[in-house]
Amino acid sequence: MYRTGDVVRWGVGGVLEFVGRVDGQVKVRGFRIELGEVEAALGGQAAVVVRDGRLVAYVVGGSVDVDAVRGVLPDYMVPSAFVVVDALPRTVAGKLDVAALPAPDWSGLSGGRVARNSREQRLCELFAEVLGLPVVGIDDDFFTLGGDSIVSIQLVSRARAAGFGISPRDVFRHKTPAGLAQVVTVETTVTEDPREAYGTAPLTPVMRWLAEVAGPIAGYSQSMLLHAPPGLTAATLVEVLQALADRHDLLRARVTAEGIVIPEPGAPIDAVRVAPYAEDTLPTIAAEARGRLDPARGVMLQAVLLEPGHVLLVVHHYAVDGVSWRILLPDLAAAWAAHRSGDPIRLPPTGTSFRRWARELDALSRDARTVAQLPYWTEVLAGARAALGDRPLDPARDLAGTCAELAVELPPEETQRLLTAVPASFHAGIADVLLTGLALALRDWAGAAGWLAMLEGHGREEQLVAGADLTRTVGWFTTEYPVRLDLGPESPGEALKTIKERLRAVPDNGVGYGLLRHLNPETAGPLAAAGRPLIGFNYLGRFAAGDAGGGPWEPAGEGWGGGVDDAMPADYPLEINATTEDHPDGPRLAATFTWPRGLLAEAQVRDLAGRWQAALRALAADSATGGYTPSDLSLVELSQEDIDSFEAEFADLESEWETQ
């Protein structure tokens, strides 16, 4: 037995509950830190506390020389924010009144160091643009600031437009403007002959899945309600949408079970209708727009000018995904600006065409490196399967029209911690956190093992195709792949490390499963026979909420949405779609649970959703137990037990060594 310095108390059932420390030691992002050491380095009257998983320094009097602080403290001990106060509040007992300290302004979060050259300056500006922050320092971590894999694609797109040759993988590896500035290269994108974008192409895996659904799919779509700019008419909307369809190939493509046909641009599109705007009639108008979609005839896009002041866009899912909307909305604004100024509409080029991507994926499905993944996917799908409902999903009975929905939401203060403090502490991504919450909820909800989820990814894995640049390519790139969510008796923090490592072990971010399941005839049979998971999970990334701004071509009302034909079979017994919505008061995590009414009772789903929310709160509360996992340490082979042992044994020594 040894003295740890932890203060605990006996809880219900004889469980020890952590209360605090007898000293000033805390653990932030896996590092043990003595707050007194940080306060001493600041000099004068100062107090350092942990807020939202970050160190915050409260300093009496003037500003702090952050560079001087960095000169005496290691990076992990430098506070993320500095707040100047007139005096440090005290309790009646004379102790620091932490509750009375003002909250830091995370919107101005910055590591302190400013750009040293024009390259770093531009990267800092790009970070700030895509993350919605007023300023970013060169040492600020993209993911700690709230970025995710989908927003990283936006960052790469804007960086490439600025002449910086970086990839999404570079963002994950180097994370900061300073780090990326060192690896920026000359663009190596393969330049295509524009004519190569036109002609026939094979279906991608997710498109093949939809084409084989035994039911109507013409209305399977995504939609966006937007604020219309003043002066927009049906005729000018046609002009803007024509420019959009001419630039983005899938918006004018014809898609059948046999493949894709992409005509050359220029053919006029019939996509615009006009109707009065009223919230109570909006569902009917959207349904009518979906009914006009016909991918076999090339009708991929429909728009309704809702007078006054709104535009509804409905796009077949064959031609759009969550990332695509982040391309289409700025292009709409650019096309409108050109029209208003009387200039020809010239939208930026798209990079790699969807046709080339589809053909490359088809070839990859038969590549030996892809086929070598078959044993991995077979093992994931093998083993026990939990039951969800009293009977299997019935495609003839459990249709989209029979499904119910339940929407849940976490407030900004809880969402902010899940986006920043928890991923930073565990060196993880937001998807790792959300899936761990689901795994914990399923364990507590049903207790049985055998939980499999079909996880969706954005699918824009450029590293698989030499010279690919998909940052401005519109289309349905989504990947789907199975992940096991079984847990033992792990604590929330331990569970996050387990799920994180399981996801890091997925080859090529799951692209190979779809290639083998839907495009390779020799491997499709065994994987199809293994069956589909019972739960579908998709994190769509961050979007501006409908109330986040009222500018032209920005989301309005509920903003993003989707639609299906009522007679289309349900995809899963339970499907969960989550997104982060940026509101004026901060980000909110929103999720929609969808299930066939004849398969699950609403009370069951509501119970699971409540447990998921509780698990996410537990993860936020357990963020102090963060640290590294084996996938973080690529130069050595260590087990999680080894890492935990080293962190515990050398925590004090490491702190002393780093401050020498």
Side-chain angles (χ1 to χ4, degrees):
M1 181 177 293
Y2 61 95
R3 190 180 300 275
T4 66
D6 293 336
V7 178
V8 298
R9 64 187 175 196
W10 290 111
V12 178
V15 177
L16 287 176
E17 298 177 358
F18 177 76
V19 176
R21 297 275 305 173
V22 296
D23 53 19
Q25 189 180 96
V26 297
K27 193 173 184 182
V28 177
R29 291 179 291 175
F31 294 102
R32 296 186 185 276
I33 298 171
E34 288 282 356
L35 296 179
E37 291 184 37
V38 185
E39 292 169 351
L42 294 173
Q45 282 188 282
V48 179
V49 300
V50 178
R51 287 279 179 89
D52 293 336
R54 303 186 183 98
L55 292 178
V56 180
Y58 293 87
V59 183
V60 177
S63 60
V64 177
D65 185 347
V66 180
D67 286 334
V69 174
R70 288 187 177 277
V72 296
L73 292 176
D75 287 344
Y76 69 86
M77 292 180 70
V78 177
S80 297
F82 296 86
V83 181
V84 178
V85 294
D86 294 330
L88 296 175
R90 302 288 178 180
T91 66
V92 292
K95 296 183 178 181
L96 180 69
D97 188 353
V98 176
L101 291 169
D105 180 11
W106 293 126
S107 65
L109 179 63
S110 174
R113 285 207 296 168
V114 298
R116 297 163 295 187
N117 52 57
S118 59
R119 180 180 293 178
E120 289 182 345
Q121 179 62 38
R122 186 63 185 125
L123 286 168
C124 287
E125 293 170 354
L126 294 172
F127 269 51
E129 287 175 16
V130 299
L131 294 171
L133 296 172
V135 64
V136 169
I138 63 172
D139 300 309
D140 290 338
D141 186 303
F142 179 78
F143 300 97
T144 300
L145 295 177
D148 56 40
S149 62
I150 293 178
V151 180
S152 74
I153 295 175
Q154 289 181 281
L155 175 65
V156 169
S157 176
R158 298 191 188 191
R160 287 175 175 170
F164 296 151
I166 62 173
S167 68
R169 180 163 288 192
D170 289 330
V171 179
F172 275 86
R173 286 175 176 170
H174 302 286
K175 298 182 174 64
T176 67
L180 286 170
Q182 296 180 27
V183 299
V184 167
T185 62
V186 177
E187 282 281 28
T188 57
T189 300
V190 173
T191 302
E192 296 180 41
D193 184 331
R195 292 170 297 181
E196 289 298 313
Y198 319 135
T200 60
L203 297 177
T204 62
V206 71
M207 298 171 84
R208 172 61 61 192
W209 162 78
L210 182 61
E212 294 176 351
V213 167
I217 60 170
Y220 195 62
S221 58
Q222 292 188 343
S223 62
M224 189 76 76
L225 180 65
L226 305 171
H227 291 285
L232 182 68
T233 65
T236 54
L237 180 56
V238 168
E239 181 182 353
V240 167
L241 293 179
Q242 184 70 56
L244 212 64
D246 288 344
R247 171 58 70 203
H248 299 294
D249 303 334
L250 266 290
L251 294 182
R252 60 181 190 275
R254 298 191 298 275
V255 182
T256 67
E258 283 69 47
I260 310 168
V261 178
I262 301 174
E264 294 191 23
I269 59 171
D270 178 18
V272 176
R273 302 292 185 274
V274 180
Y277 175 69
E279 288 190 9
D280 58 341
T281 61
L282 193 56
T284 301
I285 292 172
E288 291 172 348
R290 284 197 304 273
R292 293 192 293 272
L293 296 175
D294 188 348
R297 294 195 305 110
V299 184
M300 291 290 200
L301 166 67
Q302 286 293 293
V304 183
L305 177 58
L306 298 166
E307 298 176 329
H310 294 82
V311 173
L312 175 67
L313 294 182
V314 181
V315 184
H316 197 278
H317 212 334
Y318 272 144
V320 76
D321 58 14
V323 177
S324 296
W325 286 108
R326 293 171 167 86
I327 302 168
L328 293 174
L329 298 192
D331 276 7
L332 282 169
W336 174 251
H339 166 80
R340 292 289 288 175
S341 64
D343 297 327
I345 298 177
R346 294 190 179 94
L347 298 178
T350 58
T352 300
S353 68
F354 194 89
R355 181 173 182 252
R356 181 190 172 215
W357 181 255
R359 296 170 76 176
E360 295 280 6
L361 288 187
D362 187 61
L364 276 173
S365 71
R366 297 178 295 278
D367 188 278
R369 291 166 296 180
T370 306
V371 176
Q373 296 179 16
L374 182 61
Y376 171 86
W377 296 114
T378 302
E379 182 180 355
V380 170
L381 292 167
R385 296 285 186 97
L388 196 58
D390 298 329
R391 58 174 176 80
L393 186 70
D394 185 349
R397 176 178 176 185
D398 299 315
L399 309 176
T402 72
C403 288
E405 291 186 349
L406 172 66
V408 297
E409 185 178 271
L410 288 180
E413 59 272 16
E414 294 178 355
T415 299
Q416 190 66 43
R417 287 184 59 80
L418 293 172
L419 291 175
T420 56
V422 179
S425 178
F426 288 88
H427 310 280
I430 180 61
D432 304 330
V433 178
L434 300 182
L435 273 175
T436 301
L438 178 59
L440 289 166
L442 288 168
R443 181 188 69 182
D444 297 340
W445 184 59
W451 290 111
L452 275 172
M454 188 71 88
L455 180 62
E456 289 195 22
H458 59 69
R460 295 169 187 250
E461 305 297 337
E462 296 177 344
Q463 74 279 3
L464 297 179
V465 175
D469 176 8
L470 300 174
T471 54
R472 274 195 46 78
T473 308
V474 168
W476 193 13
F477 289 85
T478 301
T479 53
E480 294 184 322
Y481 56 95
V483 175
R484 283 211 165 263
L485 298 182
D486 294 341
L487 290 173
E490 294 101 326
S491 68
E494 293 168 342
L496 177 49
K497 293 178 181 179
T498 297
I499 297 298
K500 170 191 165 184
E501 286 301 290
R502 205 170 287 167
L503 291 173
R504 295 298 183 276
V506 174
D508 293 333
N509 289 329
V511 174
Y513 174 79
L515 297 177
L516 297 173
R517 169 63 183 85
H518 296 290
L519 300 188
N520 186 324
E522 295 183 4
T523 57
L527 291 177
R532 285 169 63 83
L534 299 178
I535 300 173
F537 185 89
N538 185 18
Y539 177 64
L540 294 157
R542 296 183 73 158
F543 284 92
D547 58 355
W553 308 111
E554 292 183 357
E558 294 185 358
W560 183 89
V564 297
D565 300 274
D566 284 346
M568 180 178 171
D571 294 342
Y572 304 96
L574 179 64
E575 188 166 4
I576 305 169
N577 286 286
T579 185
T580 298
E581 299 175 351
D582 287 317
H583 292 260
D585 59 346
R588 300 179 192 172
L589 177 67
T592 301
F593 289 67
T594 306
W595 71 97
R597 292 187 182 89
L599 195 60
L600 294 171
E602 181 177 345
Q604 292 175 286
V605 179
R606 192 173 294 277
D607 183 24
L608 176 60
R611 291 176 186 271
W612 182 60
Q613 291 175 289
L616 293 177
R617 295 187 181 102
L619 284 166
D622 206 19
S623 61
T625 65
Y628 291 100
T629 57
S631 64
D632 297 318
L633 309 174
S634 58
L635 298 181
V636 293
E637 291 187 8
L638 294 174
S639 68
Q640 188 63 58
E641 185 178 357
D642 293 332
I643 295 172
D644 294 340
S645 176
F646 284 135
E647 285 183 333
E649 184 175 355
F650 298 109
D652 295 335
L653 177 61
E654 178 182 16
S655 178
E656 293 175 10
W657 177 262
E658 291 286 351
T659 56
Q660 296 302 313

